[in-house]
Amino acid sequence: MPTRRPFFDAHFHVVDHRFPLYENDGFLPDPFPVERYLERTAALGVVGGAVVSGSFQRFDQGCLLDALARLGPGFVGVAQIPHDLPDADVVDLARRGVRGVRFNLRRGGSAGREHLDRLARRVHDLAGLHTELYVDARDLADLVDTLAALPAVSIDHLGLHADGLPHLVALVERGVRVKATGFGRVDLDVAAAVRAALAADPTALMAGSDLPSTRARRPFADSDLDLLADVAGEHVDAVLHDNAAAFYRV
């Protein structure tokens, strides 16, 4: 097997059934603890990454914080928090390795879009936390100006749908980052979307595995990173590592 370039996995989930889980549309994920993640990615050159809270974890931080403690240096977290979480708790999450707050506008379990602007600004002012959105890019039209004005934002899974790509590219041109993740759940030409994002801003694109690929039509495959590396060309190191490491302050 060829030697892999250093990979900062900008988007994956840990599912540990020792901690609370909540059904989302009748769905509960199978276990995917830290040990299984490390086994699955052992050959991928992972040097760090971002553990992202899922809709099925709602506002419970136990699994996320336990995973960060066990994964160690190089790994950070993205939490879902209620809009009225006290300032001291936001600061404590940052101290324990959380770097971002997620708004799951597609599946819920997070603060809603009505709290987006105020909460995103508050957590950034308090602790430097950025904002991440799981959203269908077709729904971004009336959010473009709001998101572009925020201090730091990323959008998951290439925006999910080809029809939303113009909105996504418009945001990239205005400083928003994009995760090249979840190729098995998107309705778009991955290579075309990656090229469009790179053309708008080569520092914006961040690679991730999306493991364990809950509810995706197909799970992550190692070849997804090969595709991404091929399309990224001269920007491959930035896409696989440097852009995300800088964004997550690792």
Side-chain angles (χ1 to χ4, degrees), residues 28 174 246:
L28 278 177
R174 297 174 68 178

Side-chain angles (χ1 to χ4, degrees), residues 84-92 122 126:
D84 55 356
L85 187 71
D87 290 358
D89 292 345
V90 173
V91 172
D92 183 62
R122 181 164 73 92
L126 281 170

Side-chain angles (χ1 to χ4, degrees), residues 72-236:
F75 289 87
V76 295
V78 180
Q80 295 176 159
I81 64 172
H83 71 93
D84 55 356
L85 187 71
D87 290 358
D89 292 345
V90 173
V91 172
D92 183 62
L93 286 175
R95 180 184 62 81
R96 299 173 71 179
V98 170
R99 293 289 185 269
V101 169
R102 192 185 202 204
F103 289 81
N104 193 328
L105 303 186
R106 183 169 174 80
R107 298 199 187 278
S110 70
R113 62 184 292 166
E114 69 273 18
H115 302 296
L116 174 59
D117 186 77
R118 182 175 180 183
L119 180 55
R121 294 179 184 278
R122 181 164 73 92
V123 298
H124 188 270
D125 290 346
L126 281 170
L129 303 187
H130 65 253
T131 295
E132 304 198 1
L133 278 80
Y134 183 23
V135 59
D136 188 316
R138 292 174 293 181
D139 298 328
L140 286 174
D142 59 350
L143 283 174
V144 168
D145 289 339
T146 296
L147 295 178
L150 293 177
V153 178
S154 73
I155 294 175
D156 295 346
H157 309 318
L158 294 168
L160 294 172
H161 201 284
D163 291 348
L165 189 57
H167 302 313
L168 187 74
V169 171
L171 283 168
V172 172
E173 290 172 343
R174 297 174 68 178
V176 170
R177 274 73 168 185
V178 177
K179 293 188 183 185
T181 55
F183 298 171
R185 68 174 72 249
V186 301
D187 292 299
L188 48 75
D189 181 323
V190 169
V194 167
R195 290 189 187 100
L198 287 172
D201 181 358
T203 72
L205 203 66
M206 305 180 292
S209 68
D210 190 36
L211 285 168
S213 308
T214 54
R215 288 190 275 198
R217 290 186 297 275
R218 72 157 176 86
F220 166 78
D222 294 5
S223 58
D224 291 346
L225 292 186
D226 298 328
L227 182 156
L228 193 54
D230 288 345
V231 176
E234 65 180 306
H235 303 297
V236 60

